[in-house]
Amino acid sequence: MPNPEILFQTSPEQYKHWRMNTAGPVATLSMDVQEDETLADGYKLKLNSYDLGVDIELADAVQRIRFEHPEVRVVVVTSVKPRIFCAGANIYMLGSSSHAFKVNFCKFTNETRCAIEDDSHHSGRRYIAALNGTASGGGYELAIACDEIYLVDDGNSAVSLPEVPLLGVLPGTGGLTRLVDKRKVRRDRADVFSTLAEGLKGKRAKEWGLIDGYFPTSKFQESIDARVKHLVNNAPAAEQGIKLTPLEFETTDDSRDYKYVKVKLNREQRYADLTVLAPADPQPTTAGQIQELGAAYWPLQAYRELDDALLHLRVNEPLIGLVCLRTEGDAETILEIDKTLAANHDHWLVREIILYMARVLRRLDLTAKSFFAVVEPGSCFAGNLLELLLASDRSYMLKDSEEGDASLAVSELNQGAFLMSNGLTRMQSRFLAEPEKLDEVFGDQKTFNTEEAEELGLITFAPDDLDWEDEIRVAIEERTSLSPDALTGMEASLRFAGPETMDTKIYGRLTAWQNWIFQRPNAVGPEGALTNYGKPTQAHFDYKRT
Amino acid sequence: MPNPEILFQTSPEQYKHWRMNTAGPVATLSMDVQEDETLADGYKLKLNSYDLGVDIELADAVQRIRFEHPEVRVVVVTSVKPRIFCAGANIYMLGSSSHAFKVNFCKFTNETRCAIEDDSHHSGRRYIAALNGTASGGGYELAIACDEIYLVDDGNSAVSLPEVPLLGVLPGTGGLTRLVDKRKVRRDRADVFSTLAEGLKGKRAKEWGLIDGYFPTSKFQESIDARVKHLVNNAPAAEQGIKLTPLEFETTDDSRDYKYVKVKLNREQRYADLTVLAPADPQPTTAGQIQELGAAYWPLQAYRELDDALLHLRVNEPLIGLVCLRTEGDAETILEIDKTLAANHDHWLVREIILYMARVLRRLDLTAKSFFAVVEPGSCFAGNLLELLLASDRSYMLKDSEEGDASLAVSELNQGAFLMSNGLTRMQSRFLAEPEKLDEVFGDQKTFNTEEAEELGLITFAPDDLDWEDEIRVAIEERTSLSPDALTGMEASLRFAGPETMDTKIYGRLTAWQNWIFQRPNAVGPEGALTNYGKPTQAHFDYKRT
């Protein structure tokens, strides 16, 4: 499967599968998947089923609503196909994809659904799933990521999770977890529902808590409209959005350079250097100036570039197992930016920018590659960029350099603006054993040289000039020589100490089980259910329980 | 691998690999693994490495300390082999085992370590890992399940988790989770430690929080003794234990009958009926009588039988995918027993019995088979046996039967005595969406007929006489026709809604990742690290990150 590079940038004018309409406080996202507009050959996207290309558009639409249409208070997610809402991830696409692609596909679709919930939770936009027809598998999982679910009662339309009974795999996009943890459906009912290929229709679906209401076909649209009207009645005054302009970058065989993010691929050694640059120009200090600058404002542009680079590395560069995170520029500039963000966090755009930075950092936490932070003189691991170091599996900071001292710096934003999926800050996560260290880190002193950072426990290793090159080289060589699968499992276990949330359950427990099942002969072997779906041949199971 | 049936019963006289000594308030469990006494052919248990047989003895020893030696306050876990504590799970055993066996092996060893922590947490026994030599892999994971870890400082001995760097798999027995969640080792240090084949010795191991202290060889024993003496100084008055007599059962090709637990295997249809019988004889009502009756007391004997039956089904009957849980006898008797247990819960033996019942029920929650509870007239799903129904994936209760009414009943013990791994009662778990239902369930009315149980939401389905046989038959047929792997992942996701704990992280997140890795070619393929360990051939990885 997909050899051509997958691009994660799109915009409404380019959408093939979604229609986005905004009318004052209401946006409507209508699914209208074009069968033949697939990311790869070998399948057709029938019945509003989707592949990664469809979900990239959805992620873009949700992102644009937040930045370009802050006036929107309610988002209606529906379909323009009669009697079909969405049939979920395309089964033939899954059947013909590599294991790694399936895993990355599910991770991205999960992140998109979590982004919907993030918008609902933090920015108060209400998402309404208006199921004008059957929502099966990933279709229902999209609905369950919304705040409210309404189903047409036409004697035929149902909600269902047919993955277990039909395909021998799990609903891969958080469905099982959201069923019992978000909608708190009783576990025996969840068990019945998740093994019932045909799903449940209006009345019983409502009774079991799978949907919030159902309306006959003739009254469906007006009922949705009434609900939407009710929700927008108390909407705050309209804000003016900004335009998310296309990201520009230059690529060669071994580099991908944006304005603020530079990626260098060391293919032979299977690692990448990813450097984030501080801005050289003066940055705005008021919300008005930020709004005027829009997408060119450093925090927004740099993190959009970082986001795109991470997605690119995940999907298009599977052989890169390690990313060395570096920063370059004036730490003071970064701290000033954080000060401006913190001072204006009540402004809608600043709030959206901070929330987006948090999402990008979570994308990093969830990326199945090792991260080493490399701190040298001239770097700027300060404030929001310090999170890159805290998100890394390890950090190396040069001590006693002839070029002057390296330093780290904290800002107010490190104290709660960028929560991990488990609800902790990365600093809390780091000092689980010694929470009193947080007082030291966030005390009067804001900047720490190598010795201080080492003493405080902010970094892993602090080699001096003499050892530096060798130590980094050996660390990289060692890391990239290890089994990539064992590293993925190890990192997923060590990165998320402490509490668990619905999100971490989805990315941890559920995803790991799904990944396991995605390798089992009963799913993907020649006689597996996924392999044989829709073919004249039948699945045959090895019934041994594991 | 293991064709001969694996027996989970043993006793100190039969131990091959452990020596158990008790002296007043101190027990010493010394590992002395016999290389040739393996559960299967093809490997030798060198360097105190272990297979399932070694762990069955450890589980038995911990259990016997709790019941037979309640006077013990401190348990020292050590080895009699010079300079070797334990080398962990035997790699050649793992390399030659089926995937299903590896998964079941890890699950059992995890349960044994959780049982150690359960004893420490609830019964206050302090476990001291006295590492007289190197503890690697599962050896260190055994140590980290103890309360305190002391390592000999002989210039050579180290603690290590070499699974990732040497074998391309994860430490499979909770090590990664306990590293960051129990000992709260900083995640970057945990990352370094878990990729360092040789591990860390005394000073640095202590500095990083991997151990609690280190002593030179010449002072090792006296330092451990001093620590033990300090801990037992304030031990409460000694109690007199009871004897855990061997369980007796009769087997045929399709049955396994204990006194109170009857298992009938319907091999053709790939399901088992497991029936728990209430006692017919009068049961003791005071702690003194319970102590006198000892292992023959119904709650202890019935749950020991249930435990053994579950382990047998897991490991020796992989083709049985579904267990129908049934009960038979007088519900009043069960409720009286619960009353006695609740009234005497402060007595050491009653406390141990209740804690053991809770562990057996957790073993059920964690068993990778589907469970249906089947409630008919004459059954006794009451009090502690009601937990069997609440632990099931679904329940079926006969309505309007000619044979009289079926009923369910609650007791005080359903309100907190039997916590799931996630820290909730099964009733809390059931009513996550409607916590107010708990007041109804635990109100004045204690017994509920089918209609009341259905109305309250205690059961899944309530077919009447006419539909009963057909509905159960069809449900069984449908369940056993589904992919066993998809069911395992689905059940693991639906059974544990709500909060997560270290235990659920170990059984959910960590185990699922390990199971995934245990299937990856980089571990178990012809060129995998596990396959090639110790051979002249070398592992070769596919370096694509997933």
Side-chain angles (χ1 to χ4, degrees):
Chain A
M1 259 265 317
N3 272 335
E5 189 171 287
I6 292 173
L7 296 176
F8 288 88
Q9 281 204 76
T10 183
S11 64
E13 311 78 63
Q14 304 172 65
Y15 291 175
K16 295 163 184 160
H17 308 295
W18 289 90
R19 302 186 196 167
M20 180 163 104
N21 288 305
T22 57
V26 182
T28 305
L29 288 178
S30 306
M31 207 170 192
D32 186 17
V33 176
Q34 302 304 300
E35 282 186 19
D36 298 318
E37 297 284 353
T38 61
L39 265 196
D41 295 334
Y43 58 91
K44 278 177 184 287
L45 295 173
K46 296 198 176 174
L47 302 173
N48 268 356
S49 63
Y50 59 82
D51 66 0
L52 182 57
V54 178
D55 221 68
I56 288 172
E57 292 183 8
L58 174 61
D60 183 76
V62 172
Q63 179 80 333
R64 283 185 197 272
I65 287 172
R66 299 183 73 163
F67 282 98
E68 301 190 350
H69 301 284
E71 75 279 7
V72 166
R73 305 317 305 153
V74 176
V75 182
V76 178
V77 182
T78 191
S79 137
V80 296
K81 294 231 172 33
R83 288 192 302 281
I84 294 290
F85 173 66
C86 167
N90 187 276
I91 297 162
Y92 305 100
M93 177 278 291
L94 286 176
S96 61
S97 296
S98 69
H99 178 68
F101 184 80
K102 278 199 282 282
V103 168
N104 263 312
F105 166 74
C106 287
K107 191 179 285 182
F108 183 82
T109 58
N110 269 316
E111 287 170 324
T112 304
R113 276 127 204 88
C114 286
I116 288 175
E117 291 177 327
D118 179 81
D119 188 23
S120 165
H121 183 70
H122 293 291
S123 298
R125 247 172 301 273
R126 199 88 183 161
Y127 283 74
I128 307 288
L131 310 182
N132 57 302
T134 285
S136 48
Y140 179 62
E141 288 179 298
L142 174 54
I144 207 175
C146 296
D147 297 296
E148 303 178 14
I149 310 174
Y150 301 100
L151 176 63
V152 68
D153 185 20
D154 59 5
N156 187 49
S157 292
V159 294
S160 67
L161 292 177
E163 283 85 347
V164 172
L166 289 188
L167 307 173
V169 300
L170 301 188
T173 321
L176 296 179
T177 305
R178 287 198 176 85
L179 214 50
V180 291
D181 269 302
K182 182 178 183 179
R183 295 195 69 94
K184 298 191 171 65
V185 173
R186 243 172 50 201
R187 55 167 278 207
D188 55 340
R189 287 174 163 173
D191 179 276
V192 173
F193 176 62
S194 308
T195 53
L196 203 63
E198 67 271 26
L200 293 177
K201 294 178 205 158
K203 184 158 178 289
R204 203 162 201 197
K206 168 89 165 74
E207 206 175 287
W208 285 24
L210 302 165
I211 60 173
D212 295 289
Y214 54 97
F215 312 112
T217 312
S218 61
K219 299 221 166 114
F220 188 70
Q221 194 54 52
E222 70 186 75
S223 306
I224 296 291
D225 292 346
R227 180 67 190 151
V228 167
K229 198 171 164 196
H230 173 80
L231 289 170
V232 298
N233 252 347
N234 292 312
E239 305 282 0
Q240 184 68 36
I242 63 160
K243 183 81 193 148
L244 292 181
T245 49
L247 297 177
E248 286 168 16
F249 56 91
E250 288 183 2
T251 57
T252 67
D253 254 13
D254 57 7
S255 72
R256 185 178 179 94
D257 288 346
Y258 307 80
K259 181 169 182 191
Y260 296 122
V261 172
K262 314 282 176 190
V263 181
K264 184 172 154 246
L265 302 163
N266 308 283
R267 293 191 188 280
E268 281 287 292
Q269 299 102 313
R270 295 190 297 274
Y271 80 96
D273 286 297
L274 188 157
T275 307
V276 183
L277 309 183
D281 312 332
Q283 293 292 306
T285 53
T286 68
Q289 291 166 346
I290 291 171
Q291 174 120 14
E292 201 170 318
L293 195 52
Y297 181 39
W298 180 87
L300 186 49
Q301 178 161 352
Y303 277 77
R304 284 181 75 206
E305 293 174 356
L306 177 58
D307 205 12
D308 196 62
L310 287 172
L311 289 168
H312 172 75
L313 287 170
R314 274 189 191 174
V315 173
N316 298 316
E317 295 290 351
L319 277 167
I320 298 295
L322 166 67
V323 180
C324 291
L325 294 172
R326 299 160 184 274
T327 55
E328 231 179 272
D330 182 15
E332 266 317 308
T333 308
I334 304 297
L335 293 174
E336 284 299 325
I337 288 171
D338 280 13
K339 201 179 281 179
T340 303
L341 291 172
N344 294 282
H345 73 274
D346 280 342
H347 186 269
W348 78 269
L349 176 57
V350 174
R351 183 192 68 228
E352 289 299 345
I353 290 173
I354 293 174
L355 288 168
Y356 177 57
M357 295 163 85
R359 288 200 295 288
V360 177
L361 290 165
R362 287 200 290 273
R363 180 106 76 193
L364 197 161
D365 293 331
L366 292 166
T367 295
K369 301 193 186 286
S370 302
F371 290 94
F372 288 177
V374 181
V375 191
E376 295 178 280
S379 68
C380 52
F381 285 96
N384 68 76
L385 289 183
L386 182 62
E387 297 288 323
L388 298 179
L389 179 141
L390 298 171
S392 294
D393 299 296
R394 304 180 184 180
S395 51
Y396 293 84
M397 188 167 179
L398 178 57
K399 185 152 62 180
D400 303 327
S401 160
E402 287 179 8
E403 301 164 50
D405 237 14
S407 64
L408 305 179
V410 297
S411 83
E412 195 181 329
L413 295 192
N414 301 116
Q415 289 190 263
F418 309 123
L419 297 184
M420 298 172 61
S421 304
N422 62 8
L424 297 185
T425 66
R426 287 180 189 77
M427 204 65 96
Q428 286 173 323
S429 208
R430 186 167 192 84
F431 293 119
L432 269 187
E434 312 163 285
E436 67 279 5
K437 282 257 173 107
L438 295 173
D439 294 334
E440 276 186 74
V441 170
F442 295 114
D444 291 337
Q445 186 178 351
K446 302 291 181 207
T447 298
F448 307 95
N449 67 23
T450 305
E451 274 177 29
E452 292 163 337
E454 191 180 21
E455 172 67 28
L456 253 176
L458 285 170
I459 53 170
T460 321
F461 295 115
D464 61 23
D465 249 353
L466 267 177
D467 299 325
W468 178 252
E469 300 271 339
D470 267 359
E471 194 154 330
I472 303 273
R473 186 181 49 76
V474 169
I476 291 172
E477 279 174 14
E478 279 181 359
R479 190 64 162 207
T480 56
S481 74
L482 300 180
S483 159
D485 308 317
L487 287 176
T488 292
M490 182 190 85
E491 290 157 2
S493 298
L494 297 181
R495 287 178 185 173
F496 300 96
E500 299 259 348
T501 62
M502 199 174 69
D503 285 15
T504 62
K505 283 169 110 160
I506 289 170
Y507 293 109
R509 178 186 283 270
L510 182 64
T511 296
W513 280 114
Q514 176 73 310
N515 292 358
W516 177 70
I517 292 164
F518 269 158
Q519 292 185 109
R520 300 288 288 164
N522 281 337
V524 296
E527 300 203 293
L530 196 59
T531 313
N532 285 279
Y533 183 79
K535 294 191 186 160
T537 47
Q538 265 218 314
H540 291 283
F541 294 138
D542 172 353
Y543 279 108
K544 281 201 218 73
R545 267 282 194 147
T546 302
Chain B
M1 258 269 314
N3 272 335
E5 189 171 288
I6 291 173
L7 295 176
F8 287 88
Q9 282 204 74
T10 183
S11 64
E13 310 80 62
Q14 304 171 65
Y15 290 174
K16 295 163 183 160
H17 308 295
W18 288 91
R19 302 188 197 165
M20 179 163 105
N21 289 305
T22 59
V26 182
T28 306
L29 288 179
S30 305
M31 206 170 191
D32 186 17
V33 176
Q34 303 305 301
E35 282 186 20
D36 297 318
E37 297 284 352
T38 60
L39 265 196
D41 295 333
Y43 58 91
K44 279 179 184 287
L45 296 172
K46 296 199 176 173
L47 302 174
N48 269 356
S49 64
Y50 59 82
D51 66 1
L52 183 57
V54 178
D55 220 68
I56 288 172
E57 293 183 7
L58 174 60
D60 183 77
V62 172
Q63 179 80 333
R64 282 183 198 273
I65 288 172
R66 299 182 73 162
F67 281 98
E68 301 190 348
H69 301 285
E71 74 280 6
V72 166
R73 305 316 305 153
V74 176
V75 182
V76 178
V77 183
T78 190
S79 137
V80 297
K81 294 230 171 32
R83 287 192 303 280
I84 294 291
F85 173 67
C86 167
N90 187 276
I91 297 163
Y92 305 100
M93 177 277 293
L94 286 176
S96 61
S97 296
S98 69
H99 179 67
F101 184 80
K102 279 199 280 283
V103 168
N104 263 313
F105 166 75
C106 287
K107 190 179 284 182
F108 183 83
T109 56
N110 269 317
E111 288 170 325
T112 304
R113 277 126 203 87
C114 286
I116 289 175
E117 291 177 328
D118 179 81
D119 188 23
S120 164
H121 184 69
H122 292 291
S123 299
R125 247 173 300 274
R126 199 87 184 160
Y127 283 74
I128 307 288
L131 310 183
N132 56 302
T134 285
S136 47
Y140 180 61
E141 288 179 299
L142 173 55
I144 207 175
C146 296
D147 297 296
E148 302 178 15
I149 310 175
Y150 300 101
L151 176 64
V152 68
D153 184 21
D154 58 5
N156 189 47
S157 292
V159 294
S160 68
L161 292 177
E163 283 86 346
V164 172
L166 288 189
L167 307 173
V169 300
L170 300 188
T173 320
L176 296 179
T177 306
R178 287 199 176 84
L179 214 51
V180 291
D181 269 303
K182 181 179 183 177
R183 296 195 67 95
K184 297 190 170 67
V185 172
R186 242 173 49 203
R187 54 167 279 208
D188 55 340
R189 287 174 163 174
D191 179 276
V192 174
F193 176 62
S194 309
T195 53
L196 203 62
E198 67 272 26
L200 293 177
K201 294 178 203 157
K203 183 157 178 289
R204 202 159 201 202
K206 168 87 164 73
E207 206 175 287
W208 284 24
L210 302 165
I211 61 173
D212 296 289
Y214 54 97
F215 312 112
T217 312
S218 61
K219 298 220 167 115
F220 188 70
Q221 194 54 51
E222 71 187 76
S223 305
I224 297 291
D225 292 345
R227 180 65 189 151
V228 167
K229 196 172 165 196
H230 173 80
L231 289 170
V232 298
N233 252 345
N234 291 312
E239 305 283 359
Q240 183 67 37
I242 62 161
K243 183 81 194 148
L244 292 180
T245 49
L247 297 177
E248 286 168 17
F249 57 91
E250 287 183 4
T251 56
T252 66
D253 254 14
D254 58 6
S255 72
R256 185 179 180 96
D257 288 347
Y258 307 80
K259 181 169 180 191
Y260 296 122
V261 172
K262 314 283 176 191
V263 180
K264 185 173 154 245
L265 302 163
N266 308 283
R267 292 190 189 282
E268 280 289 293
Q269 299 101 314
R270 294 191 297 274
Y271 81 96
D273 285 298
L274 189 158
T275 307
V276 183
L277 309 183
D281 312 332
Q283 293 292 306
T285 54
T286 68
Q289 291 166 345
I290 291 170
Q291 174 118 18
E292 200 170 318
L293 194 52
Y297 181 38
W298 180 87
L300 186 49
Q301 179 161 351
Y303 277 76
R304 284 181 74 207
E305 292 174 357
L306 177 58
D307 205 12
D308 195 62
L310 288 171
L311 289 168
H312 172 74
L313 287 170
R314 274 189 191 174
V315 173
N316 298 316
E317 297 289 351
L319 277 167
I320 299 294
L322 166 67
V323 180
C324 291
L325 294 172
R326 299 161 185 272
T327 54
E328 231 178 272
D330 182 15
E332 265 318 308
T333 309
I334 305 297
L335 293 175
E336 284 299 322
I337 288 170
D338 280 13
K339 201 178 281 178
T340 303
L341 291 172
N344 294 282
H345 74 273
D346 280 343
H347 186 269
W348 78 269
L349 177 56
V350 175
R351 182 192 70 229
E352 288 299 345
I353 289 173
I354 293 173
L355 288 168
Y356 177 56
M357 294 163 86
R359 289 201 296 287
V360 177
L361 291 165
R362 287 200 290 272
R363 181 106 76 192
L364 197 161
D365 293 332
L366 291 167
T367 295
K369 300 192 187 285
S370 302
F371 290 93
F372 288 178
V374 181
V375 191
E376 295 178 281
S379 68
C380 52
F381 285 97
N384 68 76
L385 290 183
L386 182 63
E387 296 289 322
L388 297 180
L389 179 141
L390 298 171
S392 294
D393 298 296
R394 304 179 184 182
S395 51
Y396 292 83
M397 188 169 179
L398 179 57
K399 184 152 63 181
D400 302 327
S401 159
E402 288 178 7
E403 302 165 48
D405 235 13
S407 66
L408 305 179
V410 297
S411 83
E412 194 181 328
L413 295 192
N414 301 117
Q415 289 190 262
F418 309 123
L419 297 183
M420 297 172 62
S421 305
N422 62 8
L424 298 185
T425 66
R426 287 179 189 78
M427 204 64 96
Q428 286 173 324
S429 209
R430 185 165 192 83
F431 293 118
L432 269 188
E434 311 163 286
E436 68 279 5
K437 281 256 173 109
L438 296 173
D439 295 334
E440 275 186 73
V441 170
F442 295 115
D444 292 337
Q445 186 179 350
K446 301 292 181 208
T447 299
F448 307 95
N449 66 24
T450 306
E451 274 178 28
E452 292 163 338
E454 192 180 20
E455 171 68 26
L456 253 176
L458 284 170
I459 53 170
T460 320
F461 295 116
D464 61 22
D465 249 353
L466 267 178
D467 299 327
W468 179 252
E469 299 271 340
D470 266 0
E471 195 156 327
I472 302 273
R473 185 182 50 76
V474 169
I476 291 172
E477 279 174 16
E478 278 181 1
R479 189 63 161 209
T480 56
S481 74
L482 299 180
S483 159
D485 308 317
L487 287 176
T488 292
M490 182 190 86
E491 290 158 1
S493 298
L494 297 181
R495 287 179 185 173
F496 300 97
E500 299 259 349
T501 62
M502 199 175 70
D503 284 16
T504 61
K505 283 169 109 159
I506 288 170
Y507 293 110
R509 178 186 284 268
L510 182 65
T511 297
W513 279 114
Q514 175 73 309
N515 292 358
W516 177 71
I517 291 164
F518 269 159
Q519 292 185 106
R520 299 288 287 165
N522 281 338
V524 296
E527 300 204 293
L530 196 58
T531 313
N532 286 280
Y533 183 78
K535 294 189 187 162
T537 47
Q538 264 219 315
H540 291 283
F541 294 137
D542 172 353
Y543 280 108
K544 281 199 219 74
R545 266 282 192 148
T546 302

